[in-house]
Amino acid sequence: MLRKIVFGGLMLVTASAAMAQAPRPAVGGIGSPPDAMIFYVAHGAPNACGPGCSDWIAAEGTVQWDTHKRLFNILDRNAGRRLPLIIHAWGESNLNVATTLGRILRERGIDTTVGATEVEVCRGKPEAECFALKRPGGPLDARIRSQEAPCELTCVLMLAGGVHRTLPAGTRVVLTGMFLRNRMAPNVSPEARDTLPERYGEQFRKYLRDMGVETELLDIVDAQGESRRGVEMPASEWARLHIVTPPR
């Protein structure tokens, strides 16, 4: 089932309400979509990413069908370091792959949080030039700033994979709806629309249980239908639903 969810053409996608990002080139070769998520190592001042932490992996972009390959690559290149992952996700992302990313992070013992990585050498440069600097994987001198876009369902699913999970004060967690899409064809059959969302929903609930997150989170998502407006989760709910873990 997991293999089908990762590699099949049919997928559940976020009904994203996040603000538009500047366009940038495709990551891979033929068929690779623009704005696909990339990963690179960033280096900041002492304690930039938490107590005793000055290096992290930045994850930024839209989760697409092949994003897990790039996550494997950056983790393999930094094996043994267990750098925290700082998530900046946007766009209508593939939720099936987002849960796969979370499982990879949990298996590798990675901590997760949310924020936008601001690379020093990118200041004043157009997005395409900045992207070319990030694409090789770093390390790049950077700092972390609060992201303007909310942490939506894709972000939450990735965050859930972290062994230790935090959300900076002021983060907006917004749970929007989701809808079925076929990346290999323009339409989705009525039969798929009737049966697959429930099947995927069961997989997502199992994922959340495995990660230690309350499945009530998906009840909230389901109530949104395909709405892009969503509902904002107050900070008081983060701990109750176990989206974040207790402080160490």
Side-chain angles (χ1 to χ4, degrees):
M1 176 61 70
L2 181 60
R3 183 176 181 84
K4 290 180 182 177
I5 286 176
V6 174
F7 296 104
L10 286 166
M11 56 190 178
L12 274 176
V13 180
T14 49
S16 176
M19 293 180 293
Q21 304 287 325
R24 63 186 190 190
V27 175
I30 298 174
S32 180
D35 281 347
M37 181 169 280
I38 60 170
F39 303 90
Y40 58 93
V41 174
H43 173 76
N47 305 316
C49 46
C53 176
S54 58
D55 296 277
W56 66 93
I57 295 174
E60 59 183 39
T62 303
V63 175
Q64 303 284 4
W65 62 275
D66 60 349
T67 300
H68 61 287
K69 298 177 183 179
R70 290 185 289 278
L71 179 59
F72 272 130
N73 183 53
I74 196 74
L75 292 178
D76 288 346
R77 287 170 56 187
N78 293 276
R81 299 185 70 189
R82 291 195 178 179
L83 301 176
L85 187 85
I86 298 186
I87 303 163
H88 184 196
W90 65 75
E92 294 180 349
S93 290
N94 186 322
L95 298 177
N96 316 337
V97 177
T99 61
T100 301
L101 300 179
R103 290 195 182 279
I104 294 168
L105 295 171
R106 182 62 60 90
E107 289 172 0
R108 298 294 184 98
I110 304 298
D111 294 345
T112 53
T113 189
V114 172
T117 297
E118 194 170 80
V119 175
E120 295 292 338
V121 294
C122 284
R123 289 186 180 181
K125 289 183 170 61
E127 177 60 29
E129 188 174 343
C130 179
F131 176 78
L133 295 170
K134 296 174 180 178
R135 185 69 184 90
L140 297 168
D141 289 337
R143 68 184 184 94
I144 301 168
R145 62 173 174 79
S146 298
Q147 62 181 37
E148 298 174 357
C151 178
E152 296 183 322
L153 182 56
T154 304
C155 167
V156 172
L157 291 176
M158 288 183 64
L159 183 79
V163 176
H164 299 284
R165 308 181 290 274
T166 59
L167 285 169
T171 301
R172 295 179 59 230
V173 177
V174 178
L175 299 180
T176 55
M178 50 189 177
F179 59 94
L180 195 65
R181 172 182 290 174
N182 188 345
R183 70 177 179 87
M184 298 178 179
N187 300 314
V188 177
S189 71
E191 297 149 302
R193 287 191 176 277
D194 289 342
T195 60
L196 286 181
E198 182 177 353
R199 186 188 305 177
Y200 285 145
E202 292 171 359
Q203 292 293 319
F204 294 163
R205 288 178 189 277
K206 182 180 186 306
Y207 167 76
L208 291 177
R209 286 194 294 270
D210 291 346
M211 298 300 108
V213 178
E214 294 292 332
T215 58
E216 181 185 336
L217 185 148
L218 279 184
D219 294 334
I220 298 168
V221 172
D222 289 343
Q224 306 309 306
E226 295 187 5
S227 169
R228 295 173 183 267
R229 180 173 298 177
V231 59
E232 185 164 350
M233 302 297 296
S236 59
E237 291 289 274
W238 301 349
R240 186 183 71 81
L241 295 175
H242 300 152
I243 295 172
V244 297
T245 53
R248 286 185 285 185

